[in-house]
Each structure stands twice: as structure tokens, then as C-alpha cells.
């Protein structure tokens, strides 16, 4: 009996430790305290208790908030159970103007360090307004420790400008540089209202950097039946997600949700309504649905990296579960970066209808693809592998790499495939005259590097009996840039662009 008791106790402690390795991260634009909102019935005095109830019920371990004024901050501290915060008002570095604070549960999380910087050319200057911004904007950061596991991570929280396109673009670059400078190899999270959605070029600056993973994209399960804005309208529908949670590659995202909670307030019953009620009518609405904020909160359930485990540099974990679920030998595996990743997202039917597997990971360079080539390609024993790689190497996502090394990494993947009796299709790098997330790469360098790699790939394919998918020629606008009608941004195709690429590859695979 004693031995059984000890076994049960040990099992319970292991399960408890495993449960503690997961935690919920939130991002919530709660809307500032506005007199015009109050006149419309959506004032802070009406909404605040609902926000307290929502957060206390959800019990996010940590979350970034946006648009809080000081009185709202004090209300939240009083209304939330066992939370503390870091942050300052953006207008004076103290209590004036909107905060972009980070709230965390004191029983679970310890703040080790904290600070903030302004989204401008002079980030250390209080209340500095950057580029074409309409208002000064602030980013709050903190270094935190999980009390039970002693794992450490960083969180950055920001609200980018609602008008300044340049300010948003340069602000994202500034945040990336700060993360790289401050965090080193430690895990980090970025939350906020970015005022750009998932289809915007500025969003791609973050996701194509190789530093950040969009939790919506990475989540195994999603509850996301609307975008993240509602404009205080209960029936407002959109696919636009402008509030985001990004994590560093070490994290695993299990669930993601946009929480579309609302509350109800009574409406004045007019004589006409009363007459219908008295007559037995059942369709008389006596309550009005109201939104808790003009944004919905976003939440992601993530898992902390295991203690002392090395960083998953090649991101083996991205397709670990999906690889286990493959039961049918695929016709082809598409190996690549964000272009391949988005291809599956934009046109999933192309893959499922043709028995193709998509194994693209946003931001990856050829060395990372080579490292996971056996796991994500060879082990599936496909008839073909379609390799589309190299553009992120040119953009220096992982630092400088020579064109020789880019070519050699792709050749190594081809040789591995051939040794395992897998037919090889080498895809040309798509035309691109600039990399928005890598401003160090000039237009001339971009187009010349792409030209040289493509020439070498085509020659290698011909000499070794491989097929060459010439996407470049059909996507080129004549100036070595992608045709505008085919681009989501200068590097990534839109759906129409992918349809053109599908015509090219199907002539080979069919």
C-alpha cells in the first residue's frame, strides 16, 4: 500500500509539472475611456466590470493590453484577482496618455526586469513620435520567470499607429532589432494591436523574419470565427485580424482563440412593443447585445520550452504531429519556406485533391530545410519532392551565407532524395526586387543573387536528370520583380500567383 501511495504521489507531481509547462497568453485592446462611447451606451463605466469578469474567468497567466488610460489601469488592478502590471503612460513616461501595459498573475509569474521604448527614430526619448505617425506610440517589455519551473521568457507589448504606414513598417523593424538585441537565445512573445491584418506586407515583415511565429498559423486547434475588431457592433463580421500574438520558434502553440463575448442591456419598451407583447408576440426583442470593447481579445495556449533543452532551430516540432497523422504515401512533398507555407494556406484543395503534402515553414533558410529533410520528406517516401528554397538565405534571415552555400544546401537535399529513390523537382526562386524585412539587401543584390542561383539550379537539374520548375519566367514583370497582379507583397504570391505556379508544377507532376 505504501509503495502504491508513493507511485500515485509521484505520478501526480509529474502530471502537475507537465500542466504547468502550458500557459495562456492574451492580447486585448480594451478601448480607452471615451465620453462619446458613453453617450452611445458603450462607456467604460458600463463595460469595465465585464472585462474584469472575462479576465478573472479566463485566468490568462499573462497578457498585453492596449489603449488603457490611468483611471482604467487603476480600475483593472482593483477588479482583477491577483494580477500585477508593468507599463507607463506614453505621453510622459509616467501617467499621462495611453498605456500598453503587461498584466501577469502574481501567483504564477515573477517579473525580473522591465522597461519601455517609443516607436520612433529616437526610441529612448520620452513621447517621441516616429516617421509619419499620428500619435506617439510605446512598446512595453518585461523579462519574466515562471515560479514553478523557473523557466524565463520575455514579453513585448505594443500598439502601433493607426494612420502612419511608414511608422508601422519601421516600428516592426525596430521591435525586431530590440528583441534580437535584448533576448539573445531566450524565448520571447510579442503581443499587440498592430493595426495591420494577416494580409498586409507589414505583417510579413514579422512572420518572414525567422524570429517570430504567428500563433494563429501554428496552433493545432483554433476557435476563430471572426476577426479581432467589431466597432461595438454585435453583427459586425470580418476576417481581418489586426491584434496578434507572436512567439519565438522555441514555443509550441496548442490552441488559439478570438473570444467574441458580449453582454446584454435592456432597451426601452415602446407602446408599440408593449402592444405586441400583450398580444402574445414572441419576436419582440427587449435586450440589446453590446460588445465589451471595440476589439475582441486574442488568446493563445502555448507551451514553454523544456528546461535545458536546446532551441528547436530547424523547427522539427512544426510538423511533428502532422507527420504522425499521414497514413497514405504522398504523390509529392513540397519543401520550402513561407512561400510554400502560404501556398497550402491559400489553396489547400490543390494539396489535398492531388495527394500532395505541404512542408513549408515561414522564415526558414536552406540549412534549416536540409536539417529537417529526412523527417519532413524522406520518411514519407513520396514519388516526388518539390524544393523551393533560397530566397530567405539571400535576405540573410539567419545572417550572411554565400551563394555557393545556398546552392550546395539545395544540392544536398536533391542528393538525399535521389539516394532514397525520390524524384526531384527544383523550383526557381521567385522574382523579388526587395525584401521589406531586410533593408540591408539592395534591389540590385536581390535580383542578381536570384538570377545566379536560378541559373545554377537549372544547369544542375539538366546535368543530373532532375526536373526544373521555372516559376520565375511566368511571374517576372520584365524587370526581375514579381508581377503586381500575382503578388501579396514583393516576395510572396497571392492566390492568383499560386494558380500560375500550379500550372507550371502540374505539367511536371502529372
Amino acid at each position: 500500500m505504501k509503495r502504491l501511495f508513493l507511485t500515485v504521489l509521484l505520478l501526480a507531481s509529474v502530471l502537475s509539472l507537465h500542466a504547468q509547462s502550458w500557459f495562456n497568453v492574451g492580447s486585448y485592446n480594451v478601448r480607452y475611456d471615451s465620453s462619446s462611447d458613453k453617450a452611445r451606451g458603450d462607456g467604460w463605466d458600463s463595460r469595465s466590470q465585464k472585462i474584469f469578469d472575462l479576465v478573472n474567468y479566463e485566468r490568462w497567466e499573462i497578457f498585453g493590453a492596449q489603449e488603457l488610460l490611468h483611471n482604467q489601469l487603476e480600475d483593472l488592478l482593483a477588479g482583477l484577482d491577483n494580477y500585477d502590471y508593468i507599463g507607463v503612460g506614453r505621453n510622459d513616461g509616467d501617467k499621462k496618455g495611453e498605456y500598453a501595459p503587461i498584466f501577469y498573475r502574481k501567483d504564477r509569474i515573477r517579473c525580473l526586469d522591465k522597461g519601455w521604448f517609443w516607436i520612433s527614430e529616437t526610441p529612448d526619448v520620452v513621447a517621441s513620435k516616429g516617421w509619419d505617425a499620428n500619435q506617439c506610440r510605446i512598446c512595453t517589455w518585461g523579462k519574466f520567470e515562471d515560479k514553478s519551473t523557473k523557466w524565463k521568457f520575455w514579453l513585448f507589448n505594443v500598439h502601433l499607429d493607426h494612420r502612419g504606414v511608414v511608422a508601422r513598417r519601421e516600428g516592426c523593424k525596430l521591435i525586431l532589432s530590440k528583441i534580437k538585441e535584448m533576448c539573445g537565445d531566450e524565448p520571447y512573445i510579442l503581443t499587440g494591436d498592430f493595426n495591420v491584418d494577416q494580409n498586409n506586407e507589414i505583417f510579413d515583415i514579422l512572420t518572414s523574419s525567422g524570429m517570430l511565429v504567428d500563433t494563429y498559423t501554428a496552433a493545432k486547434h483554433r476557435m476563430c470565427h471572426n476577426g479581432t475588431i467589431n466597432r461595438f457592433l454585435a453583427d459586425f463580421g470580418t476576417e481581418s485580424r489586426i491584434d496578434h500574438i507572436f512567439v519565438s520558434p522555441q514555443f509550441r502553440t496548442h490552441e488559439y482563440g478570438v473570444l467574441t463575448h458580449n453582454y446584454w442591456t435592456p432597451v426601452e419598451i415602446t407602446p408599440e412593443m408593449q402592444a405586441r407583447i400583450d398580444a402574445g408576440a414572441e419576436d419582440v426583442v427587449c435586450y440589446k447585445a453590446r460588445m465589451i470593447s471595440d476589439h475582441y481579445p486574442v488568446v493563445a495556449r502555448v507551451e514553454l520550452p523544456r528546461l535545458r533543452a536546446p532551441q528547436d532551430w530547424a523547427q522539427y516540432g512544426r510538423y511533428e504531429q502532422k507527420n504522425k497523422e499521414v497514413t497514405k504515401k504522398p504523390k509529392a512533398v513540397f519543401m520550402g519556406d513561407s512561400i510554400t507555407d502560404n501556398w497550402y494556406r491559400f489553396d489547400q484543395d490543390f494539396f489535398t485533391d492531388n495527394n500532395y503534402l505541404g512542408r513549408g515553414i515561414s522564415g526558414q533558410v536552406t540549412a534549416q530545410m536540409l536539417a529537417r529533410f529526412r523527417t519532413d520528406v524522406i520518411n514519407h517516401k513520396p514519388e516526388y519532392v518539390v524544393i523551393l528554397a533560397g530566397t530567405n538565405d539571400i535576405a540573410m534571415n539567419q545572417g550572411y551565407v554565400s551563394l555557393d552555400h545556398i546552392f550546395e544546401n539545395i544540392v544536398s537535399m536533391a542528393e538525399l532524395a535521389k539516394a532514397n529513390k525520390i524524384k526531384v523537382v527544383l523550383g526557381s526562386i521567385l522574382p523579388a526586387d526587395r525584401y521589406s524585412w531586410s533593408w540591408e539587401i539592395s534591389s540590385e543584390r536581390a535580383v542578381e543573387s536570384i538570377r545566379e542561383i536560378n541559373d545554377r539550379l537549372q544547369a544542375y537539374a539538366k546535368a543530373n536528370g532532375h526536373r526544373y520548375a521555372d516559376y520565375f519566367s511566368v511571374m517576372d514583370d520584365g524587370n526581375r520583380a514579381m508581377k503586381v497582379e500575382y503578388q501579396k507583397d514583393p516576395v510572396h504570391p497571392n492566390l492568383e500567383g499560386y494558380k500560375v505556379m500550379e500550372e507550371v508544377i502540374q505539367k511536371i507532376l502529372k
Side-chain angles (χ1 to χ4, degrees):
M1 179 62 75
K2 183 177 180 181
R3 181 177 296 176
L4 177 61
F5 173 75
L6 291 175
T7 301
V8 172
L9 183 63
L10 178 60
L11 178 60
S13 65
V14 170
L15 290 174
S16 175
L17 179 60
H18 177 73
Q20 289 175 336
S21 70
W22 304 45
F23 68 105
N24 292 311
V25 182
S27 183
Y28 199 1
N29 183 325
V30 301
R31 177 70 174 183
Y32 64 91
D33 187 357
S34 164
S35 58
S36 59
D37 290 347
K38 184 172 183 178
R40 194 176 54 243
D42 295 314
W44 175 248
D45 57 339
S46 300
R47 303 184 290 111
S48 56
Q49 185 59 51
K50 285 73 178 179
I51 291 179
F52 309 155
D53 293 342
L54 186 154
V55 176
N56 286 329
Y57 176 80
E58 295 290 341
R59 287 182 60 79
W60 305 322
E61 276 70 24
I62 192 166
F63 69 98
Q66 301 86 39
E67 288 197 19
L68 278 171
L69 299 177
H70 188 72
N71 67 295
Q72 295 174 284
L73 182 74
E74 292 181 324
D75 290 345
L76 273 170
L77 287 175
L80 299 185
D81 184 18
N82 207 26
Y83 280 88
D84 204 348
Y85 85 101
I86 59 172
V88 295
R90 70 189 187 193
N91 288 0
D92 65 351
D94 188 18
K95 297 180 180 179
K96 290 184 179 179
E98 294 178 12
Y99 289 65
I102 299 170
F103 288 87
Y104 58 95
R105 271 177 44 195
K106 294 184 289 186
D107 60 333
R108 174 75 188 271
I109 304 293
R110 177 184 292 111
C111 182
L112 302 177
D113 197 4
K114 63 182 178 181
W116 33 84
F117 57 88
W118 278 260
I119 305 300
S120 74
E121 299 93 327
T122 53
D124 296 327
V125 176
V126 174
S128 54
K129 186 168 65 173
W131 301 283
D132 60 345
N134 178 257
Q135 300 175 20
C136 68
R137 300 284 178 170
I138 196 170
C139 179
T140 304
W141 62 265
K143 184 175 182 180
F144 300 92
E145 180 184 67
D146 183 286
K147 289 185 176 182
S148 58
T149 64
K150 306 303 180 185
W151 295 333
K152 298 176 177 61
F153 66 95
W154 299 69
L155 193 145
F156 294 74
N157 180 51
V158 70
H159 185 187
L160 293 182
D161 199 67
H162 62 303
R163 293 185 182 175
V165 175
V166 177
R168 291 196 292 267
R169 181 184 298 115
E170 297 304 316
C172 285
K173 294 176 183 178
L174 172 65
I175 292 167
L176 288 172
S177 68
K178 288 287 188 180
I179 290 174
K180 185 179 293 187
E181 170 193 337
M182 297 167 65
C183 300
D185 293 330
E186 294 182 307
Y188 47 83
I189 300 167
L190 172 62
T191 63
D193 175 357
F194 292 80
N195 273 307
V196 294
D197 70 10
Q198 66 273 19
N199 299 310
N200 191 283
E201 178 185 351
I202 296 171
F203 177 88
D204 290 326
I205 291 175
L206 299 170
T207 56
S208 300
S209 66
M211 295 171 57
L212 293 170
V213 177
D214 175 24
T215 53
Y216 170 89
T217 302
K220 181 179 179 181
H221 300 292
R222 302 187 193 98
M223 187 183 73
C224 182
H225 304 298
N226 207 333
T228 64
I229 50 175
N230 60 61
R231 301 178 183 174
F232 284 122
L233 300 173
D235 57 356
F236 182 82
T238 178
E239 295 183 356
S240 182
R241 293 182 284 108
I242 67 171
D243 303 87
H244 305 288
I245 299 173
F246 301 101
V247 294
S248 58
Q250 302 105 314
F251 281 97
R252 177 178 295 179
T253 304
H254 293 276
E255 285 93 29
Y256 171 98
V258 176
L259 308 184
T260 55
H261 297 294
N262 65 283
Y263 66 103
W264 300 86
T265 58
V267 297
E268 181 182 354
I269 300 178
T270 64
E272 291 78 10
M273 292 171 63
Q274 187 62 55
R276 295 187 63 196
I277 294 171
D278 294 341
E282 297 181 354
D283 61 344
V284 179
V285 178
C286 299
Y287 288 85
K288 175 181 175 62
R290 291 192 177 276
M291 300 296 98
I292 302 176
S293 172
D294 63 341
H295 289 239
Y296 293 121
V298 180
V299 62
R301 191 184 190 200
V302 301
E303 187 172 3
L304 284 165
R306 296 191 180 278
L307 191 63
R308 300 188 186 93
Q311 179 181 345
D312 184 6
W313 170 78
Q315 293 176 264
Y316 295 108
R318 168 66 188 278
Y319 290 107
E320 182 179 11
Q321 185 59 39
K322 287 187 177 181
N323 286 338
K324 292 177 183 178
E325 295 169 357
V326 175
T327 58
K328 181 180 178 182
K329 178 180 175 180
K331 172 79 172 180
V333 175
F334 285 61
M335 169 62 89
D337 47 41
S338 57
I339 295 172
T340 301
D341 203 354
N342 289 345
W343 196 341
Y344 181 84
R345 184 159 60 90
F346 276 46
D347 196 4
Q348 186 173 342
D349 289 345
F350 170 71
F351 289 83
T352 55
D353 292 349
N354 292 287
N355 191 25
Y356 300 154
L357 291 183
R359 290 298 181 263
I361 297 182
S362 178
Q364 281 210 330
V365 296
T366 53
Q368 292 169 301
M369 296 179 209
L370 177 59
R372 63 182 177 90
F373 196 78
R374 181 171 297 279
T375 302
D376 287 344
V377 178
I378 294 173
N379 289 352
H380 294 299
K381 301 178 181 179
E383 183 179 349
Y384 289 92
V385 61
V386 180
I387 302 171
L388 177 54
T391 201
N392 284 332
D393 299 71
I394 295 170
M396 299 198 304
N397 275 23
Q398 293 284 334
Y400 172 76
V401 59
S402 71
L403 297 186
D404 286 340
H405 287 142
I406 300 171
F407 175 70
E408 289 165 1
N409 286 338
I410 297 174
V411 167
S412 294
M413 285 187 269
E415 290 177 346
L416 281 170
K418 186 175 181 180
N420 286 275
K421 298 180 173 55
I422 300 170
K423 298 175 185 176
V424 177
V425 181
L426 299 177
S428 66
I429 300 176
L430 273 57
D433 62 348
R434 64 185 182 278
Y435 295 99
S436 59
W437 66 92
S438 187
W439 56 95
E440 303 98 326
I441 309 300
S442 67
S443 178
E444 181 181 4
R445 180 174 173 181
V447 299
E448 285 303 312
S449 298
I450 292 172
R451 179 196 59 77
E452 181 173 339
I453 292 292
N454 282 344
D455 287 348
R456 294 175 71 172
L457 289 176
Q458 188 170 22
Y460 172 79
K462 183 177 181 180
N464 290 272
H466 303 316
R467 301 300 299 273
Y468 179 71
D470 187 5
Y471 304 124
F472 185 95
S473 296
V474 295
M475 305 286 278
D476 180 23
D477 69 354
N479 295 307
R480 296 191 174 275
M482 193 184 302
K483 291 180 180 177
V484 174
E485 62 268 29
Y486 293 159
Q487 61 172 261
K488 176 176 178 283
D489 59 59
V491 176
H492 300 86
N494 56 20
L495 179 58
E496 187 174 352
Y498 283 121
K499 291 295 185 183
V500 172
M501 293 170 64
E502 288 168 10
E503 292 180 8
V504 173
I505 196 62
Q506 287 292 68
K507 289 179 182 178
I508 296 173
L509 299 183
K510 292 296 184 182

